[in-house]
Amino acid sequence: MSLLEVSHVSRAFGGLRAVQDVSLQVPVGSLTALIGPNGAGKTTLFALMSGFLVPDTGRVTFDGVDITGRAPHLNAALGLTRTFQIVQPFASQTVRENIAVGAHLQHAKRSDALHAAEAVAERVGLYAQLDKPAGDLTVAGRKRLELARALATQPKLLLLDEVLAGLNPQEIQDMLPVVRGLVAGGVTVLMIEHVMQAVMNLAEHVWVLAQGQLIAQGAPTEVTQNPQVIEAYLGHGTAARLRKTQQEAV
């Protein structure tokens, strides 16, 4: 059963067609990934899914409801929440207060939202830093906080936009079980990610976007061996040399 369905969605900015006739489905309870080179249109597609942009054509359905062009806060109330590539916490507020901002979607009283923030902080590894100003967090800490604020809305589907970007190898390793834990806790996850190690370790299914179009999909091991995907990432010349080297090795 699909929780999210994107059907023939397109969006242009002037003469630039950022997303072209994209269709995909996100099954309930899955952890899937959207990958592609820089400028492929991945974040634009996330914005179209979540309501921050309205598609020129096509339809977005979430949990059986047509949400095409529906405002982000209304989508969040339905259970569709996203994180952002550039993390911007409320620096002077504590970690607890930042997470409570997301929790207010489900909890009208401030005391309830602050209490809910504690459980979310524990899930993402920030419990010990609840009373620290958000501005004092490391890059890895701010990434966890961005995740926590989204998780505090109690989403059914969480769109993660490069939650591992800017982290060192150890920090990435530390974050992998946190992301797996989201799905174990009942949240469906679709992630944009450039860290292929994470994609290979986490994703059950991968969609590949290049120049606004889906060029491949499948299991991570299949997709990374796809000639079109290699070409999209490496360029025609490098991909051709790589194929020649592989043929000569055989």
Side-chain angles (χ1 to χ4, degrees), residues 20-237:
Q20 303 179 55
D21 195 32
V22 169
S23 297
L24 57 80
Q25 303 80 36
V26 179
V28 174
S30 64
L31 201 171
T32 54
L34 177 66
I35 68 171
N38 287 327
K42 302 183 298 298
T43 295
T44 299
L45 183 55
F46 260 26
L48 293 168
M49 291 174 179
S50 54
F52 286 88
L53 287 174
V54 180
D56 297 328
T57 59
R59 187 176 66 178
V60 180
T61 305
F62 175 70
D63 203 15
V65 177
D66 187 339
I67 61 166
T68 310
R70 187 182 173 118
H73 70 281
L74 298 177
N75 292 334
L78 282 177
L80 170 58
T81 307
R82 64 163 295 185
T83 66
F84 291 86
Q85 202 173 333
I86 300 172
V87 180
Q88 295 181 310
F90 299 104
S92 61
Q93 294 187 337
T94 64
V95 168
R96 187 195 311 268
E97 290 167 333
N98 268 268
I99 300 173
V101 171
H104 270 297
L105 185 68
Q106 304 292 341
H107 302 280
K109 289 177 62 178
R110 175 176 168 80
S111 58
D112 290 342
L114 290 169
H115 181 69
E118 295 181 8
V120 175
E122 190 160 14
R123 287 182 70 178
V124 302
L126 285 176
Y127 190 82
Q129 303 185 73
L130 274 167
D131 297 316
K132 177 184 283 191
D136 292 348
L137 292 174
T138 62
V139 171
R142 289 197 294 273
K143 288 286 186 176
R144 288 175 186 253
L145 179 56
E146 176 74 1
L147 176 56
R149 288 196 301 184
L151 190 57
T153 67
Q154 298 180 20
K156 297 175 184 176
L157 172 63
L158 191 50
L159 305 178
L160 299 182
D161 195 348
E162 294 197 45
V163 73
L164 304 176
L167 304 186
N168 64 40
Q170 185 56 56
E171 290 167 341
I172 290 170
Q173 283 297 324
D174 292 342
M175 187 64 101
L176 296 185
V178 175
V179 177
R180 285 196 197 96
L182 299 176
V183 181
V187 181
T188 302
V189 174
L190 172 61
M191 61 191 300
I192 290 174
E193 197 49 67
H194 280 293
V195 181
M196 292 307 296
Q197 167 203 359
V199 173
M200 298 295 287
N201 275 280
L202 292 171
E204 306 156 19
H205 192 90
V206 178
W207 287 274
V208 187
L209 201 64
Q211 297 180 328
Q213 296 179 301
L214 281 178
I215 61 169
Q217 65 165 301
T221 48
E222 297 170 5
V223 163
T224 52
Q225 295 172 19
N226 185 305
Q228 276 187 286
V229 176
I230 295 170
E231 202 159 278
Y233 271 99
L234 301 179
H236 296 288

